[in-house]
Amino acid sequence: MSLSTLKKRKVDSENRQFNNEWTEKYAFIAVDANPVCLICNECLAVSKEYNLRRHFNTTHAKFNTTFPPGSAARKQKISGLTLCYEQRRRILFRACTDQERATAASLRVAWILGKKKKPFTDSETVKECMLASIEEVVTDEKTRKSVIDSIRQIPISDTSNIRRVESLASDVFETLMDKLRKAEVMSLAVDESTDNSDVAQLCLYVRFYDGACFHEDLLGLIPLEGQTTGEILFAKISAFFEENNLDLARINMLVTDGAPSMVGRDQGLAARMAAVAPQMRSLHCLIHQSLLCAKLSGELKETMDSVMAIINFIRCTSSLQHRLFRKLLADMSAEYKDLLIHNDIRWLSKGNALKRFCELKEEILVFLQSSKLKKAGKFLSLMGNNEFNATVCFLSDVFYHLNQLNMELQGRDKTVFELVEKLRAFQRKLSLFSADLCPEKMLHFPTLRKSGLQITEVMSGFIDSLKNNFATRFDDFSISNFALKGKELVPSLDESFLQLELIDIQSSDDLQQSLQQAGYEKFWTHVVSQEKFPHSRGLALFLLTMFGSTYTCESSFSHMNAIKTHNRISLTDQNLQHCLRIALSTYTPDFTALAKCLIQFQYRQIRKIK
C-alpha cells in the first residue's frame, strides 16, 4: 500500500486524556482539555507526552536544575505556579464577565433607541441621564460609586451605537433567514417609494408559517438607481433571493400597489415572477382597491376641490393669515385649533379634512367675512350655497364610513380572510346606506341630517356607484369555498379527501365554536388536528400565509422617513436598512449571548493582529 493512500490520523478520535503526573513532571496543567504550561502559559494543541516533554526540555531546560524532580522545592514551586495561574484566570474571567455585561447593556440601549427610531447620537444622552439619575437616587456612597463606574464602562458613543445596531440587525436578519429557508411557502408584499432624499427604495415584506405561528417581517429594503421598471425590480428581487439562498418558487402570493411596473401583463414584476414561481398568485392590494372604488368625479370632485381651495386659502396664502385664523378659533373657543390639509398619499386625510371643515364651518364663515381679500368673497358666496353645503355634509358622512373601513383593513397580521370579510360586510352596509338616504331616516348621515339640507340625485348616484364598484372588484374574490379553489391553488391536493374533511369540520359544533373563539390563525394552527384533517389544514395554512394588502410596506416607508429625519448624521443605505429592521422586528435577540459572541470575535481579531 502506498503512503498516499494511508489515512491521516484524527486527533479528536484518539480520545487522548491529560495525565495528572505530567503536572509535576513537565509543569503542565489541563485547561479545557488542552495542556497549558505553568511557566510560560503556552497552550499546546494535543495532550501527548512527547509534545509536553519536547516543549519542557527545549524551553525550560534549567527548571530541572533549579528544582530537581521529586524534591520538596519542586512540589512547592509547581503548587505556587498553579495557584498563580488560577488567580490570573479568575481575574481575566471576571474582566471578561464585566465586559460582556457592559456590551450587553450597550446592545440593549441600541435596541431601545432603534425601536423608538431615535438618532445614534442619543446614546450619549442616555448615558448622561443614567449617571445623573444614579447620583440623585442612590444615597450610599460606596454603592453609588460602584454603579457609576459600571455605567461609565458601557460603550454607547454614537460610533459604538452604529456598530451595535449593525450587530443587532444582522442577528435579526440571520434568525429570519434560518426560519424562512425552512418554510414551505411564503407570501411577498412589494412596494416602491421615494424617501425624503429622493432615493427610490424597494420594500420587501414576507409572511410565512414556521411550524408554530405566522410571521410578518421586513425582508429587505433595496435602493434603486435610475429607472424602476418591472425588469429592474425583478432583477433586484432575484439577486436578493439568490444571495440569501432563498427559493423564488416557494412564493405563493405577490401583493403590489397596482402600479404598471408591478402588474404589467408582459413586462411587469408579477408576470416575470410567475414565470419562475408557477404556483404564485398576484393580488392588487385590497386597501388600494377599496380607495379606487371611492374615486370622485363630476360635481362631487368639484365640491371636494372647492373645499380644499378654501382650506388652502386659509392655511397657505400667508403665515399671517394662518395665524389670524388660529387666533379667531381660540377667541371663539372652537373645539379644534386648526383645519386639516388633504393629501392624496394619506389614506384617511380626505375624510378627516372634510369632517374638520364641517365642524368649523361657522368659524370659517366669520373669518371669510372679516377678510379683505377678493378670494374670500368668492368663497363666502360659495359657502352660502345650500347645494354646496349639502354635498360637503354628504361627503363628510360617506368618507367617515370609508375611513372606518380603511382602519379595519389596516394593521399587521391581518389575514386575507379578515380583509375579505370586512369588505363583504361593507358591501352590505352600502345597501343599508342606500336605503337610509331619504329625508325620513338619514341615521347613517348625521352631518347631512343635522344641516337640514336636501338630498340630491348626485348623492344617491354616488352610493349606487360605490355599490357597483365594490361589487365589480370584490364579488369574484372568494376564498371561502375551499373545495373549488383548493385544486387550483395547490395542484398536489387530493380534492376528494378535502371535500370529506370540510364536511366533517362544518358538521362539528365544537370546531365551529372554536373557530368563533380562536379566530382563523389559532383555529387552523392549534385546534385542527394535522392527523385528522391533513388536506384542509394544509390548504388553510397555504391561504393564511397570503398577504391581503401592502400595508406593511406603506408603514415601513413612514418609519423609514422618520429614521432619516431624526438622524442628524448621514445614513448610508445599509445603516438605514439596519435601523428599519430593528424598528420593525418582531423578534428580540438574546443580548447576553450576542455580547459574548462580539467579545470572542474581538479577541480573535486581536490575536490575528498580534
Side-chain angles (χ1 to χ4, degrees):
M1 182 182 292
S2 64
L3 292 176
S4 61
T5 60
L6 291 176
K7 293 183 178 180
K8 291 184 179 180
R9 297 173 62 187
K10 294 184 178 179
V11 174
D12 294 339
S13 64
E14 294 180 2
N15 298 320
R16 293 179 177 174
Q17 296 182 351
F18 184 85
N19 191 335
N20 293 329
E21 295 179 357
W22 296 343
T23 300
E24 186 175 346
K25 198 172 182 180
Y26 305 116
F28 271 85
I29 62 172
V31 179
D32 298 330
N34 291 325
V36 176
C37 179
L38 292 172
I39 303 172
C40 65
N41 294 329
E42 184 174 342
C43 179
L44 302 186
V46 182
S47 292
K48 186 178 178 181
E49 185 176 9
Y50 170 78
N51 293 353
L52 274 65
R53 184 172 61 250
R54 183 180 61 181
H55 172 84
F56 182 79
N57 292 335
T58 56
T59 310
H60 312 294
K62 295 181 180 180
F63 190 84
N64 279 338
T65 305
T66 308
F67 305 97
S71 64
R74 187 184 184 94
K75 291 182 179 180
Q76 185 177 359
K77 182 63 176 179
I78 294 294
S79 178
L81 289 173
T82 304
L83 180 62
C84 183
Y85 180 84
E86 292 296 336
Q87 288 177 345
R88 289 199 304 270
R89 193 180 180 206
R90 281 196 296 270
I91 294 171
L92 181 62
F93 177 77
R94 191 181 304 116
C96 289
T97 303
D98 292 341
Q99 188 177 2
E100 287 172 5
R101 289 173 180 169
T103 304
S106 70
L107 288 168
R108 283 182 177 272
V109 171
W111 180 262
I112 293 171
L113 290 175
K115 278 292 183 184
K116 302 295 183 181
K117 299 181 287 294
K118 297 299 182 181
F120 294 128
T121 50
D122 278 9
S123 56
E124 295 179 352
T125 304
V126 170
K127 192 171 185 177
E128 291 179 12
C129 292
M130 287 192 291
L131 292 171
S133 300
I134 294 300
E135 289 177 353
E136 295 294 333
V137 173
V138 181
T139 56
D140 183 70
E141 184 176 352
K142 185 176 180 181
T143 305
R144 181 170 64 245
K145 184 178 183 302
S146 175
V147 175
I148 288 176
D149 289 342
S150 297
I151 292 175
R152 284 175 175 163
Q153 295 300 317
I154 301 174
I156 50 176
S157 65
D158 53 348
T159 52
S160 296
N161 198 20
I162 292 174
R163 293 194 298 271
R164 298 292 180 257
V165 166
E166 181 180 354
S167 300
L168 290 165
S170 298
D171 184 71
V172 169
F173 183 67
E174 287 303 320
T175 302
L176 173 62
M177 289 298 103
D178 290 341
K179 293 181 178 181
L180 198 54
R181 292 184 188 111
K182 299 174 185 176
E184 294 183 4
V185 293
M186 69 185 83
S187 176
L188 204 62
V190 180
D191 199 2
E192 178 267 322
S193 183
T194 303
D195 61 24
N196 52 20
S197 59
D198 292 333
V199 177
Q201 301 282 357
L202 181 66
C203 181
L204 308 178
Y205 237 89
V206 66
R207 178 178 171 86
F208 63 98
Y209 180 65
D210 68 353
C213 61
F214 288 92
H215 294 273
E216 285 183 8
D217 284 288
L218 176 70
L219 185 59
L221 187 69
I222 306 174
L224 303 172
E225 303 84 13
Q227 300 294 323
T228 56
T229 62
E231 181 182 3
I232 293 175
L233 298 181
F234 177 71
K236 291 286 186 180
I237 294 175
S238 298
F240 181 89
F241 269 66
E242 184 177 353
E243 180 182 349
N244 293 286
N245 196 25
L246 298 174
D247 188 3
L248 281 171
R250 293 186 182 181
I251 299 176
N252 67 346
M253 174 68 83
L254 174 69
V255 185
T256 68
D257 61 354
S261 61
M262 299 284 187
V263 299
R265 180 177 297 180
D266 299 319
Q267 303 298 323
L269 174 64
R272 293 176 181 274
M273 291 190 66
V276 296
Q279 72 169 351
M280 190 196 79
R281 299 292 183 273
S282 59
L283 175 67
H284 182 184
C285 169
L286 295 179
I287 299 179
H288 280 103
Q289 290 197 63
S290 68
L291 294 173
L292 292 175
C293 290
K295 192 172 183 179
L296 299 177
S297 62
E299 185 177 332
L300 294 178
K301 185 178 184 304
E302 292 177 4
T303 301
M304 188 69 202
D305 290 342
S306 298
V307 170
M308 294 303 110
I310 295 172
I311 294 174
N312 290 334
F313 168 74
I314 294 174
R315 288 201 49 166
C316 304
T317 298
S318 68
S319 56
L320 173 61
Q321 181 153 292
H322 190 197
R323 290 197 303 272
L324 292 174
F325 178 71
R326 287 187 295 182
K327 184 177 183 301
L328 174 66
L329 294 179
D331 294 341
M332 295 181 68
S333 300
E335 184 178 358
Y336 301 100
K337 296 181 179 180
D338 207 348
L339 290 167
L340 298 178
I341 295 179
H342 167 52
N343 186 335
D344 279 327
I345 297 176
R346 299 190 178 276
W347 291 338
L348 306 177
S349 70
K350 186 179 293 184
N352 292 337
L354 284 166
K355 182 181 178 183
R356 182 68 58 86
F357 183 87
C358 292
E359 291 172 339
L360 294 178
K361 179 184 175 184
E362 296 301 324
E363 289 81 358
I364 293 172
L365 286 171
V366 172
F367 181 78
L368 292 176
Q369 289 170 355
S370 64
S371 177
K372 298 180 181 179
L373 298 177
K374 291 182 179 179
K375 279 188 176 182
K378 174 185 174 182
F379 292 140
L380 191 61
S381 62
L382 183 63
M383 292 189 65
N385 186 304
N386 287 338
E387 186 175 348
F388 171 81
N389 289 327
T391 305
V392 172
C393 293
F394 167 76
L395 288 175
S396 176
D397 289 330
V398 169
F399 277 97
Y400 168 79
H401 295 301
L402 289 167
N403 279 1
Q404 292 299 111
L405 170 65
N406 197 289
M407 290 293 292
E408 292 175 350
L409 297 178
Q410 290 185 39
R412 294 183 61 154
D413 298 314
K414 290 288 182 73
T415 67
V416 70
F417 289 88
E418 294 174 293
L419 299 190
V420 172
E421 275 190 351
K422 300 298 183 184
L423 290 167
R424 292 293 172 81
F426 189 76
Q427 286 181 268
R428 296 180 63 184
K429 291 178 182 178
L430 286 175
S431 299
L432 177 63
F433 297 158
S434 180
D436 185 61
L437 191 60
C438 60
E440 297 80 15
K441 297 182 179 179
M442 289 195 289
L443 298 175
H444 302 285
F445 299 91
T447 310
L448 182 59
R449 182 181 71 247
K450 185 178 179 181
S451 70
L453 300 172
Q454 293 184 351
I455 299 170
T456 63
E457 293 183 2
V458 174
M459 300 176 189
S460 303
F462 184 66
I463 296 295
D464 292 337
S465 175
L466 280 177
K467 290 170 61 178
N468 294 333
N469 290 342
F470 271 84
T472 300
R473 288 185 177 273
F474 303 118
D475 274 358
D476 293 336
F477 193 87
S478 175
I479 55 175
S480 58
N481 192 339
F482 291 97
L484 293 177
K485 294 287 183 180
K487 193 68 176 177
E488 177 185 344
L489 295 171
V490 187
S492 60
L493 194 68
D494 191 319
E495 196 169 353
S496 61
F497 283 105
L498 174 64
Q499 292 173 343
L500 296 175
E501 290 177 10
L502 288 175
I503 292 174
D504 290 338
I505 292 174
Q506 292 169 354
S507 302
S508 172
D509 293 336
D510 291 340
L511 289 178
Q512 292 299 315
Q513 186 177 1
S514 298
L515 176 60
Q516 296 296 326
Q517 295 174 350
Y520 285 116
E521 285 193 17
K522 289 187 177 179
F523 176 75
W524 288 108
T525 57
H526 293 84
V527 178
V528 177
S529 170
Q530 173 66 25
E531 292 75 19
K532 192 174 181 180
F533 305 104
H535 299 84
S536 54
R537 187 175 185 272
L539 178 59
L541 295 179
F542 183 92
L543 292 170
L544 285 169
T545 303
M546 295 179 174
F547 275 114
S549 73
T550 58
Y551 169 82
T552 49
C553 294
E554 300 284 353
S555 175
S556 299
F557 291 135
S558 298
H559 288 287
M560 174 188 71
N561 286 322
I563 291 169
K564 296 201 74 171
T565 301
H566 291 163
N567 275 281
R568 294 183 290 273
I569 62 175
S570 179
L571 285 178
T572 65
D573 291 330
Q574 195 172 25
N575 290 147
L576 177 61
Q577 183 167 195
H578 291 158
C579 293
L580 189 61
R581 194 175 296 285
I582 290 175
L584 300 174
S585 175
T586 58
Y587 159 77
T588 302
D590 184 337
F591 300 105
T592 303
L594 185 57
K596 289 182 178 179
C597 292
L598 290 175
I599 291 172
Q600 290 173 4
F601 176 77
Q602 291 172 2
Y603 284 160
R604 287 196 297 269
Q605 294 299 108
I606 292 172
R607 287 172 184 170
K608 287 181 181 179
I609 294 173
K610 289 182 177 180

